[in-house]
Structure formats: structure tokens, C-alpha cells
Short mmCIF file of all heavy atoms in Angstrom, two decimals:
data_model
loop_
_atom_site.label_atom_id
_atom_site.label_comp_id
_atom_site.label_asym_id
_atom_site.label_seq_id
_atom_site.Cartn_x
_atom_site.Cartn_y
_atom_site.Cartn_z
N ILE A 1 183.58 176.66 9.41
CA ILE A 1 182.16 176.79 9.06
C ILE A 1 182.00 178.09 8.31
O ILE A 1 182.43 179.16 8.79
CB ILE A 1 181.27 176.79 10.35
CG1 ILE A 1 181.54 175.55 11.17
CG2 ILE A 1 179.82 176.93 9.99
CD1 ILE A 1 181.21 174.27 10.49
N ASN A 2 181.37 178.00 7.15
CA ASN A 2 181.20 179.21 6.33
C ASN A 2 180.38 180.26 7.03
O ASN A 2 179.44 179.95 7.78
CB ASN A 2 180.52 178.85 5.03
CG ASN A 2 181.41 177.94 4.15
OD1 ASN A 2 182.62 177.87 4.34
ND2 ASN A 2 180.77 177.18 3.23
N SER A 3 180.71 181.51 6.82
CA SER A 3 179.94 182.61 7.37
C SER A 3 178.75 182.93 6.46
O SER A 3 178.93 183.01 5.23
CB SER A 3 180.84 183.87 7.56
OG SER A 3 180.06 184.96 8.03
N VAL A 4 177.62 183.17 7.08
CA VAL A 4 176.43 183.58 6.32
C VAL A 4 175.90 184.95 6.77
O VAL A 4 174.76 185.33 6.53
CB VAL A 4 175.32 182.53 6.45
CG1 VAL A 4 175.67 181.23 5.80
CG2 VAL A 4 174.99 182.31 7.91
N LEU A 5 176.79 185.67 7.47
CA LEU A 5 176.40 187.01 8.04
C LEU A 5 176.00 187.96 6.90
O LEU A 5 176.70 188.00 5.83
CB LEU A 5 177.51 187.55 8.87
CG LEU A 5 177.21 188.82 9.65
CD1 LEU A 5 176.12 188.55 10.71
CD2 LEU A 5 178.49 189.35 10.34
N ASN A 6 174.90 188.68 7.04
CA ASN A 6 174.40 189.65 6.07
C ASN A 6 173.90 188.97 4.82
O ASN A 6 173.68 189.68 3.80
CB ASN A 6 175.45 190.70 5.76
CG ASN A 6 175.84 191.54 6.93
OD1 ASN A 6 175.00 191.86 7.75
ND2 ASN A 6 177.10 191.87 7.05
N LEU A 7 173.71 187.68 4.84
CA LEU A 7 173.20 186.99 3.65
C LEU A 7 171.71 187.29 3.47
O LEU A 7 170.92 187.21 4.42
CB LEU A 7 173.39 185.48 3.79
CG LEU A 7 172.93 184.64 2.64
CD1 LEU A 7 173.74 184.93 1.40
CD2 LEU A 7 173.01 183.13 2.97
N THR A 8 171.32 187.66 2.27
CA THR A 8 169.98 187.92 1.92
C THR A 8 169.55 186.99 0.78
O THR A 8 170.01 187.12 -0.32
CB THR A 8 169.73 189.38 1.49
OG1 THR A 8 170.19 190.24 2.52
CG2 THR A 8 168.27 189.62 1.15
N PRO A 9 168.75 185.96 1.08
CA PRO A 9 168.40 185.01 0.00
C PRO A 9 167.70 185.76 -1.19
O PRO A 9 166.77 186.51 -0.97
CB PRO A 9 167.43 184.00 0.69
CG PRO A 9 167.79 184.13 2.12
CD PRO A 9 168.22 185.60 2.35
N GLU A 10 168.18 185.47 -2.38
CA GLU A 10 167.59 186.16 -3.52
C GLU A 10 166.22 185.55 -3.92
O GLU A 10 165.32 186.23 -4.34
CB GLU A 10 168.53 186.06 -4.72
CG GLU A 10 169.88 186.81 -4.47
CD GLU A 10 170.78 186.74 -5.62
OE1 GLU A 10 170.40 186.09 -6.65
OE2 GLU A 10 171.88 187.28 -5.58
N ASP A 11 166.12 184.24 -3.81
CA ASP A 11 164.89 183.55 -4.18
C ASP A 11 164.02 183.25 -2.93
O ASP A 11 164.56 183.04 -1.83
CB ASP A 11 165.19 182.20 -4.86
CG ASP A 11 165.99 182.39 -6.12
OD1 ASP A 11 165.75 183.40 -6.82
OD2 ASP A 11 166.83 181.54 -6.38
N ASP A 12 162.70 183.27 -3.17
CA ASP A 12 161.81 182.95 -2.03
C ASP A 12 161.67 181.44 -1.94
O ASP A 12 160.72 180.86 -2.49
CB ASP A 12 160.45 183.61 -2.31
CG ASP A 12 159.58 183.54 -1.06
OD1 ASP A 12 160.03 182.97 -0.06
OD2 ASP A 12 158.43 183.95 -1.14
N CYS A 13 162.62 180.82 -1.20
CA CYS A 13 162.65 179.35 -1.13
C CYS A 13 161.53 178.77 -0.20
O CYS A 13 161.33 177.58 -0.14
CB CYS A 13 164.01 178.87 -0.63
SG CYS A 13 165.37 179.31 -1.76
N PHE A 14 160.89 179.66 0.54
CA PHE A 14 159.87 179.17 1.47
C PHE A 14 158.46 179.28 0.92
O PHE A 14 157.48 179.06 1.69
CB PHE A 14 159.97 180.01 2.78
CG PHE A 14 161.37 180.01 3.40
CD1 PHE A 14 162.25 181.03 3.11
CD2 PHE A 14 161.74 178.97 4.23
CE1 PHE A 14 163.50 181.02 3.68
CE2 PHE A 14 163.02 178.96 4.77
CZ PHE A 14 163.90 180.00 4.50
N SER A 15 158.36 179.67 -0.33
CA SER A 15 157.02 179.95 -0.88
C SER A 15 156.14 178.66 -0.92
O SER A 15 154.94 178.78 -0.88
CB SER A 15 157.10 180.49 -2.28
OG SER A 15 157.82 179.62 -3.16
N TYR A 16 156.77 177.50 -0.92
CA TYR A 16 155.93 176.28 -0.99
C TYR A 16 155.35 175.92 0.37
O TYR A 16 154.50 175.04 0.43
CB TYR A 16 156.81 175.10 -1.53
CG TYR A 16 157.71 174.51 -0.52
CD1 TYR A 16 157.37 173.32 0.12
CD2 TYR A 16 158.93 175.10 -0.18
CE1 TYR A 16 158.18 172.75 1.07
CE2 TYR A 16 159.73 174.52 0.75
CZ TYR A 16 159.39 173.34 1.33
OH TYR A 16 160.20 172.79 2.31
N ILE A 17 155.83 176.54 1.46
CA ILE A 17 155.32 176.26 2.75
C ILE A 17 154.13 177.21 3.08
O ILE A 17 154.37 178.41 3.21
CB ILE A 17 156.40 176.44 3.85
CG1 ILE A 17 157.63 175.55 3.52
CG2 ILE A 17 155.86 176.04 5.23
CD1 ILE A 17 158.76 175.73 4.45
N PRO A 18 152.92 176.73 3.13
CA PRO A 18 151.76 177.63 3.32
C PRO A 18 151.80 178.35 4.71
O PRO A 18 151.92 177.62 5.74
CB PRO A 18 150.56 176.72 3.19
CG PRO A 18 151.10 175.35 3.56
CD PRO A 18 152.52 175.32 3.12
N GLN A 19 151.68 179.66 4.69
CA GLN A 19 151.57 180.45 5.89
C GLN A 19 152.66 180.14 6.93
O GLN A 19 152.38 180.03 8.17
CB GLN A 19 150.20 180.26 6.52
CG GLN A 19 149.04 180.71 5.63
CD GLN A 19 147.66 180.59 6.32
OE1 GLN A 19 147.51 179.79 7.23
NE2 GLN A 19 146.68 181.29 5.82
N TYR A 20 153.87 179.95 6.47
CA TYR A 20 154.90 179.61 7.44
C TYR A 20 155.18 180.69 8.37
O TYR A 20 155.52 180.44 9.54
CB TYR A 20 156.20 179.18 6.63
CG TYR A 20 157.02 180.32 6.15
CD1 TYR A 20 158.14 180.76 6.90
CD2 TYR A 20 156.74 180.99 5.00
CE1 TYR A 20 158.91 181.79 6.43
CE2 TYR A 20 157.50 182.06 4.58
CZ TYR A 20 158.59 182.42 5.25
OH TYR A 20 159.34 183.50 4.86
N LYS A 21 155.08 181.98 7.96
CA LYS A 21 155.31 183.08 8.89
C LYS A 21 154.30 183.13 10.00
O LYS A 21 154.58 183.43 11.13
CB LYS A 21 155.33 184.41 8.14
CG LYS A 21 156.62 184.62 7.26
CD LYS A 21 156.67 186.06 6.71
CE LYS A 21 156.84 187.07 7.79
NZ LYS A 21 156.99 188.44 7.23
N GLU A 22 153.04 182.85 9.63
CA GLU A 22 151.97 182.85 10.64
C GLU A 22 152.19 181.76 11.65
O GLU A 22 151.97 181.91 12.85
CB GLU A 22 150.63 182.70 9.95
CG GLU A 22 149.42 182.68 10.89
CD GLU A 22 149.28 183.92 11.73
OE1 GLU A 22 149.79 185.00 11.29
OE2 GLU A 22 148.64 183.86 12.80
N LYS A 23 152.70 180.60 11.19
CA LYS A 23 152.95 179.46 12.11
C LYS A 23 154.01 179.84 13.09
O LYS A 23 153.92 179.58 14.28
CB LYS A 23 153.33 178.22 11.32
CG LYS A 23 152.16 177.67 10.47
CD LYS A 23 152.64 176.47 9.66
CE LYS A 23 151.49 175.93 8.82
NZ LYS A 23 151.95 174.76 7.99
N TYR A 24 155.08 180.46 12.60
CA TYR A 24 156.15 180.89 13.54
C TYR A 24 155.61 182.01 14.46
O TYR A 24 156.01 182.03 15.61
CB TYR A 24 157.33 181.44 12.70
CG TYR A 24 158.21 180.39 12.12
CD1 TYR A 24 158.49 180.36 10.74
CD2 TYR A 24 158.76 179.38 12.95
CE1 TYR A 24 159.34 179.35 10.22
CE2 TYR A 24 159.61 178.40 12.47
CZ TYR A 24 159.84 178.39 11.05
OH TYR A 24 160.71 177.40 10.56
N ARG A 25 154.76 182.88 13.95
CA ARG A 25 154.26 183.95 14.79
C ARG A 25 153.44 183.37 15.98
O ARG A 25 153.40 183.93 17.04
CB ARG A 25 153.39 184.89 14.00
CG ARG A 25 153.05 186.20 14.69
CD ARG A 25 152.03 187.04 13.90
NE ARG A 25 150.74 186.38 13.89
CZ ARG A 25 149.85 186.47 14.86
NH1 ARG A 25 150.14 187.16 15.94
NH2 ARG A 25 148.69 185.84 14.78
N GLN A 26 152.82 182.25 15.74
CA GLN A 26 152.01 181.56 16.78
C GLN A 26 152.88 180.71 17.71
O GLN A 26 152.31 180.09 18.60
CB GLN A 26 150.93 180.72 16.17
CG GLN A 26 149.86 181.56 15.41
CD GLN A 26 148.83 180.69 14.73
OE1 GLN A 26 148.87 179.48 14.81
NE2 GLN A 26 147.85 181.32 14.10
N GLY A 27 154.19 180.67 17.51
CA GLY A 27 155.07 180.03 18.44
C GLY A 27 155.68 178.68 17.95
O GLY A 27 156.19 177.95 18.82
N LEU A 28 155.59 178.36 16.70
CA LEU A 28 156.11 177.11 16.21
C LEU A 28 157.64 177.06 16.40
O LEU A 28 158.38 177.99 16.09
CB LEU A 28 155.81 176.97 14.72
CG LEU A 28 156.49 175.81 14.02
CD1 LEU A 28 155.99 174.45 14.51
CD2 LEU A 28 156.33 175.87 12.49
N ILE A 29 158.12 175.98 17.00
CA ILE A 29 159.56 175.67 17.12
C ILE A 29 159.82 174.43 16.21
O ILE A 29 159.28 173.35 16.45
CB ILE A 29 159.99 175.37 18.53
CG1 ILE A 29 159.69 176.59 19.39
CG2 ILE A 29 161.42 175.00 18.58
CD1 ILE A 29 160.01 176.38 20.90
N LEU A 30 160.60 174.65 15.15
CA LEU A 30 160.77 173.62 14.15
C LEU A 30 162.16 172.97 14.35
O LEU A 30 163.18 173.61 14.36
CB LEU A 30 160.72 174.25 12.73
CG LEU A 30 160.94 173.30 11.56
CD1 LEU A 30 159.81 172.24 11.52
CD2 LEU A 30 161.01 174.10 10.25
N ALA A 31 162.12 171.61 14.50
CA ALA A 31 163.34 170.81 14.63
C ALA A 31 163.49 169.93 13.37
O ALA A 31 162.60 169.11 13.07
CB ALA A 31 163.27 169.93 15.87
N VAL A 32 164.52 170.14 12.60
CA VAL A 32 164.78 169.36 11.40
C VAL A 32 166.05 168.52 11.64
O VAL A 32 167.17 169.07 11.69
CB VAL A 32 164.98 170.28 10.19
CG1 VAL A 32 165.28 169.47 8.91
CG2 VAL A 32 163.77 171.17 9.99
N ASP A 33 165.87 167.24 11.83
CA ASP A 33 167.02 166.31 12.03
C ASP A 33 167.79 166.04 10.79
O ASP A 33 168.98 165.83 10.86
CB ASP A 33 166.49 165.00 12.64
CG ASP A 33 165.80 165.23 13.97
OD1 ASP A 33 166.10 166.24 14.67
OD2 ASP A 33 164.96 164.41 14.34
N ASP A 34 167.12 166.03 9.63
CA ASP A 34 167.81 165.72 8.35
C ASP A 34 167.21 166.67 7.29
O ASP A 34 166.10 166.47 6.87
CB ASP A 34 167.61 164.27 7.94
CG ASP A 34 168.47 163.84 6.78
OD1 ASP A 34 168.94 164.77 6.03
OD2 ASP A 34 168.67 162.66 6.58
N VAL A 35 167.95 167.68 6.89
CA VAL A 35 167.43 168.64 5.92
C VAL A 35 167.21 168.01 4.55
O VAL A 35 166.30 168.41 3.76
CB VAL A 35 168.34 169.83 5.78
CG1 VAL A 35 168.47 170.60 7.11
CG2 VAL A 35 169.75 169.48 5.28
N ASP A 36 168.02 166.99 4.23
CA ASP A 36 167.82 166.30 2.86
C ASP A 36 166.48 165.62 2.80
O ASP A 36 165.79 165.65 1.73
CB ASP A 36 168.97 165.31 2.67
CG ASP A 36 170.31 165.99 2.55
OD1 ASP A 36 170.34 167.17 2.16
OD2 ASP A 36 171.31 165.36 2.88
N VAL A 37 166.05 165.05 3.94
CA VAL A 37 164.75 164.33 3.91
C VAL A 37 163.64 165.36 4.03
O VAL A 37 162.63 165.26 3.31
CB VAL A 37 164.71 163.35 5.10
CG1 VAL A 37 163.31 162.72 5.22
CG2 VAL A 37 165.75 162.26 4.89
N ASN A 38 163.72 166.36 4.92
CA ASN A 38 162.64 167.26 5.14
C ASN A 38 162.39 168.17 3.97
O ASN A 38 161.21 168.57 3.70
CB ASN A 38 162.89 168.11 6.38
CG ASN A 38 162.65 167.38 7.67
OD1 ASN A 38 163.39 166.46 8.01
ND2 ASN A 38 161.60 167.73 8.38
N TYR A 39 163.43 168.55 3.24
CA TYR A 39 163.29 169.56 2.17
C TYR A 39 163.53 168.90 0.79
O TYR A 39 164.01 169.60 -0.15
CB TYR A 39 164.19 170.74 2.38
CG TYR A 39 163.96 171.42 3.66
CD1 TYR A 39 164.95 171.58 4.62
CD2 TYR A 39 162.68 171.95 3.97
CE1 TYR A 39 164.75 172.21 5.84
CE2 TYR A 39 162.44 172.60 5.19
CZ TYR A 39 163.49 172.71 6.10
OH TYR A 39 163.23 173.37 7.32
#
């Protein structure tokens, strides 16, 4: 399994998700069964 330690994404890939940080701050637990379908 590839290591992703110290990885810093260069692009803001989450910009299309509105207020995603606020949702997590309020306790959202996100389960993604298939990333190809969800994203």
C-alpha cells in the first residue's frame, strides 16, 4: 500500500463541497463505499 505520509494536496479538491469543514466540525461521519460513484 502506497505511503501518503506528509502528503499535502496541491489543489483544493474539496472546493465543490459546500461548507464541508463546518459539517465535519458539527460531527459528520462520512462513509464512502465506492469512491468512483461518490466523487
Side-chain angles (χ1 to χ4, degrees):
I1 305 299
N2 296 339
S3 175
V4 293
L5 189 63
N6 296 322
L7 180 67
T8 303
E10 297 181 359
D11 299 325
D12 189 4
C13 298
F14 305 95
S15 58
Y16 79 100
I17 305 176
Q19 297 182 339
Y20 80 98
K21 286 188 67 176
E22 179 61 23
K23 293 178 181 178
Y24 281 126
R25 194 187 69 82
Q26 294 178 359
L28 170 67
I29 299 177
L30 179 64
V32 180
D33 298 335
D34 189 342
V35 297
D36 294 333
V37 174
N38 282 71
Y39 301 122

